[in-house]
Amino acid sequence: ERCRWQIKHPGQQEKRVLVNIAAQHLWAVGGDSALDMRICCGAYPTKTPLLCITINYMQVNPEWNIPFNIIKTDVARHGGDSAYFARNRYDIVDRETGDTLQASEVGEERLLSGKMKVVQKGGSGNSLGRIVFRFPNNFSVYLHDTNNRGAFNRERRTLSHGCVRVQKPFELACFLLQGADEWTKDQIRISMDMRPVTERGREYVRNHADAPRPFRLISYRDITPHMPLYIVYFTAYPNPTTGKVELWPDLYDFDKVITKEIGPFLLKE
């Protein structure tokens, strides 16, 4: 029934990124390339939305503009606690003036006013990790790295505010930038504090050993052409790399809702 409602289905020959929330897994397939990885997705109260969209660009070492719903539920109660904001590398910025304010001078009420934004600095320790893949949507969600790598070892990985955290972010970047040369890939590696593989990359690291981190050889890169992205929810679905149908738990109770609604009609049949 859910498949019947889907506006657009992935084409078998189409190069695409497919996220199946029920499987807690991502597949990037097309041509001679196939990549699969675990994901962490939205917790039950903050479910990841189902989308058919395109990935337009990626950012390396992104800042995180914290959505207001997270400020309201997690951040505002720490208003005035400068140690909390310093520990998490959060800046408080006045939306009207653009000024960065002293955390000790901004209490909970001002944070909840909507006149302030809270921004986490890019680099090591950022909640988005070292790279984010963005696409237009009304839910403020995207695919991104994470600073909590251990979460991918869990059996149930529904723990985000709605975004999709990916297990192999560098490999996904290479898939989206197919045709990129090794120096381009090394610029991403170096910017993500990964070891370069080219002599040019190794020489760059040697020559900039004392430079402040993070390196910013690449901060922004368009995905051209834009990559189709499908975020779906199927508890029975053929594995895109093997074709074998696999069964997955109903993490969000979507199947339960549909069964409840169409059950009486099935009984009539």
Side-chain angles (χ1 to χ4, degrees):
E1 183 70 7
R2 184 175 304 111
C3 188
R4 186 172 67 84
W5 293 351
Q6 193 79 29
I7 296 173
K8 182 183 177 184
H9 291 271
Q12 290 303 309
Q13 305 303 317
E14 180 184 31
K15 186 175 179 181
R16 63 201 181 276
V17 175
L18 173 71
V19 174
N20 187 353
I21 298 300
Q24 301 174 101
H25 216 84
L26 177 152
W27 292 269
V29 294
D32 297 329
S33 301
L35 177 66
D36 68 278
M37 66 190 75
R38 291 185 167 200
I39 63 163
C40 297
C41 52
Y44 193 93
T46 53
K47 300 176 181 66
T48 297
L50 310 184
L51 299 168
C52 299
I53 204 76
T54 58
I55 302 173
N56 293 2
Y57 65 97
M58 66 183 195
Q59 292 174 284
V60 185
N61 294 308
E63 291 186 335
W64 182 34
N65 285 288
I66 303 177
F68 184 70
N69 67 309
I70 299 179
I71 293 176
K72 184 167 61 175
T73 57
D74 293 345
V75 178
R77 57 193 171 91
H78 297 284
D81 183 354
S82 57
Y84 167 84
F85 285 86
R87 184 168 63 250
N88 289 284
R89 301 170 65 242
Y90 291 165
D91 285 335
I92 301 174
V93 180
D94 186 299
R95 291 183 182 276
E96 184 176 348
T97 66
D99 293 337
T100 299
L101 308 179
Q102 292 291 330
S104 59
E105 299 175 1
V106 182
E108 181 176 3
E109 184 176 347
R110 291 181 70 188
L111 288 169
L112 292 173
S113 70
K115 297 179 180 179
M116 307 292 151
K117 63 179 180 179
V118 182
V119 181
Q120 187 179 40
K121 297 174 182 177
S124 178
N126 186 279
S127 295
L128 301 182
R130 304 307 291 268
I131 190 167
V132 59
F133 308 93
R134 297 193 184 272
F135 42 91
N137 67 91
N138 296 323
F139 305 96
S140 298
V141 299
Y142 22 81
L143 310 182
H144 66 84
D145 183 20
T146 178
N147 60 2
N148 181 15
R149 309 296 304 172
F152 295 112
N153 297 324
R154 301 182 186 182
E155 181 177 352
R156 180 162 182 145
R157 299 184 293 281
T158 51
L159 46 82
S160 80
H161 287 89
C163 285
V164 176
R165 306 174 190 177
V166 298
Q167 185 182 24
K168 304 174 184 176
F170 174 76
E171 290 84 346
L172 181 58
C174 292
F175 176 87
L176 296 173
L177 297 175
Q178 281 189 354
D181 59 28
E182 281 301 327
W183 169 235
T184 298
K185 295 178 183 178
D186 252 3
Q187 291 180 75
I188 299 174
R189 289 187 184 98
I190 294 168
S191 299
M192 294 177 65
D193 280 338
M194 298 171 61
R195 183 172 298 178
V197 300
T198 66
E199 181 53 40
R200 182 177 179 182
R202 289 189 286 267
E203 182 179 3
Y204 180 92
V205 172
R206 287 195 297 268
N207 292 340
H208 296 80
D210 297 326
R213 299 296 198 275
F215 292 121
R216 296 187 181 274
L217 287 175
I218 287 185
S219 297
Y220 175 100
R221 188 68 179 258
D222 279 319
I223 306 300
T224 306
H226 295 167
M227 180 65 63
L229 168 66
Y230 298 87
I231 302 180
V232 300
Y233 184 98
F234 292 120
T235 50
Y237 199 78
N239 184 307
T241 56
T242 66
K244 181 181 178 182
V245 174
E246 297 176 339
L247 303 179
W248 303 100
D250 186 15
L251 300 172
Y252 288 169
D253 290 334
F254 285 174
D255 284 1
K256 186 182 296 184
V257 172
I258 289 180
T259 300
K260 179 181 178 181
E261 294 298 324
I262 70 173
F265 297 98
L266 296 176
L267 290 174
K268 288 179 183 178
E269 294 293 327

